[in-house]
Amino acid sequence: QVQLVESGGGLVQPGGSLRLSCVASGFRMAYWNIGWFRQAPGKDREAVSCVGTSDGVYYIDSVKGRFTITRDNAKETVYLQMNNLKPEDTAVYYCNADPDPATGTYYTENYWGQGTQVTVSS
């Protein structure tokens, strides 16, 4: 079964840090582009950070210099280190896996995890 499981969310004060994890099962993460998305109540879901199969990275402007995405293919895990958190970072964070045709994978659909809640508040 193809599955993504997020963890590491929680309640933190402004300026604090959290490290999110996305663990894959049922497929090899090395053949997939992985993205972190977030959705706050009443807001559209937005892409926060992505890492490609060749380690290219993307960050939304509002998190540049504060968030770092890394991947450990041997552990089938992608991390999102979040530092200097702000109240506007409060949201449910979701992991997404998108197959990269350049790797030769036969998968064609993308997959979502169930999400992990991040709350930044005093």
Side-chain angles (χ1 to χ4, degrees):
Q1 181 180 358
V2 173
Q3 189 173 31
L4 295 169
V5 179
E6 304 98 329
S7 63
L11 174 63
V12 64
Q13 294 184 357
S17 298
L18 289 171
R19 190 191 194 194
L20 306 184
S21 298
C22 173
V23 180
S25 61
F27 67 100
R28 299 297 301 276
M29 190 171 274
Y31 302 110
W32 300 67
N33 302 309
I34 308 298
W36 284 100
F37 292 71
R38 67 186 180 189
Q39 187 166 23
K43 304 293 184 181
D44 293 333
R45 187 173 297 189
E46 63 179 355
V48 178
S49 182
C50 300
V51 59
T53 57
S54 297
D55 296 327
V57 297
Y58 160 84
Y59 299 98
I60 193 171
D61 285 345
S62 61
V63 309
K64 289 180 178 178
R66 300 189 296 119
F67 291 10
T68 303
I69 190 169
T70 57
R71 66 190 304 152
D72 187 339
N73 291 332
K75 295 182 178 180
E76 302 290 352
T77 302
V78 169
Y79 304 97
L80 185 67
Q81 178 68 45
M82 305 186 296
N83 297 326
N84 192 24
L85 284 161
K86 303 176 180 180
E88 51 263 46
D89 295 319
T90 296
V92 178
Y93 284 70
Y94 299 91
C95 183
N96 174 264
D98 186 28
D100 184 357
T103 67
T105 180
Y106 55 83
Y107 291 94
T108 59
E109 303 295 325
N110 61 44
Y111 294 88
W112 292 90
Q114 295 301 304
T116 185
Q117 176 72 49
V118 172
T119 302
V120 185
S121 176
S122 299

